[in-house]
Amino acid sequence: MRPLVAGNWKMNGLASSLAELVALKAALAAKAPACDVLVCPPFTLLAQAAVVKDGFALGGQDCSAKEGGAFTGDISASMLKDAGASHVIVGHSERRQYHGERDGDVAAKAGAAWRAGLGAIICIGETEAQRYAGDANNICASQVDGSVPGAATAANTTIAYEPVWAIGTGRTPTTADIIAMHGHIRNCLVRRLGEAGRGIRILYGGSVKPDNAADILNLPEVNGALVGGASLKASDFLSIITALKQV
Ligand code: PEP
């Protein structure tokens, strides 16, 4: 399975930030990465980023479950595709937390992404309180059941396991905990999807940085990373990409 390293710029980036993508493109052209590379800038930069894009793909950070119409401020999956995206993140914990998105909403967004021809990166992960309560496995299992539509395949879906307490905090689970949770999520995917569940990439996300990337990205069942803050600078993002061992 070829890993994927995806950058989530969140609500960061102006036209001047496209220089980071120019630098990323040059570095990837100079040395081919051992993984697929994806950048998810804000919607406003997608079309301009598509002009620069080479050696990496582009994604949106969210999409509407609707195809179009009177939904002020929303962006459809076909708009993302039209602007140059091949993927979209759905169900990020910040969408779940600040916009009240629930598993059913996330599954509907993944379906909309597929209908537009986009790959869905479906985010799941427990809060700190849930982990301390010993509920992390149950929470992730129920998020897989509720957020991942039954027609998910390796071609149309990627899972990002992002413990909420690790996002933007500089804290990460132990490598043993990451291995255990990724194995658990794999089992949940196979239970839900059958053989198709074996081929779906499971990314780790949450405070992946240049100095911990090699330790995290080369773990069993870790098929890449979803990177927030450290994806904003091409040099940091490249250090993470190159931390992946060539296979
Ligand atoms: C994220 O937002 O998906 C993320 C993983 O953020 P960070 O890398 O900054 O923790």
Side-chain angles (χ1 to χ4, degrees), residues 107-191:
K109 289 180 176 207
W114 297 347
R115 285 192 296 281
L118 299 179
I121 300 176
I122 301 176
C123 300
I124 63 170
E126 81 285 356
T127 64
E128 186 158 37
Q130 289 163 339
R131 175 159 283 265
Y132 276 128
D135 279 343
N137 280 6
N138 288 339
I139 293 294
C140 289
S142 83
Q143 288 179 337
V144 167
D145 287 344
S147 305
V148 181
T153 66
N156 64 22
T157 298
T158 301
I159 303 296
Y161 167 59
E162 300 205 300
V164 178
W165 51 273
I167 295 179
T169 60
R171 297 163 59 206
T172 56
T174 64
T175 52
D177 283 345
I178 295 174
I179 293 170
M181 182 56 89
H182 279 234
H184 171 64
I185 293 169
R186 175 70 62 210
N187 290 339
C188 294
L189 289 170
V190 172
R191 196 192 59 230

Side-chain angles (χ1 to χ4, degrees), residues 233-246:
K233 285 198 107 25
S235 53
D236 288 345
F237 194 43
L238 276 160
S239 300
I240 292 170
I241 291 165
T242 54
L244 255 168
K245 289 201 183 105
Q246 301 273 348

Side-chain angles (χ1 to χ4, degrees), residues 8 10 92 94 162 166-169 205-209 226-230:
N8 172 17
K10 312 194 190 199
H92 191 283
E94 288 153 13
E162 300 205 300
I167 295 179
T169 60
S207 295
V208 176
K209 307 282 178 211
L226 181 54
V227 183

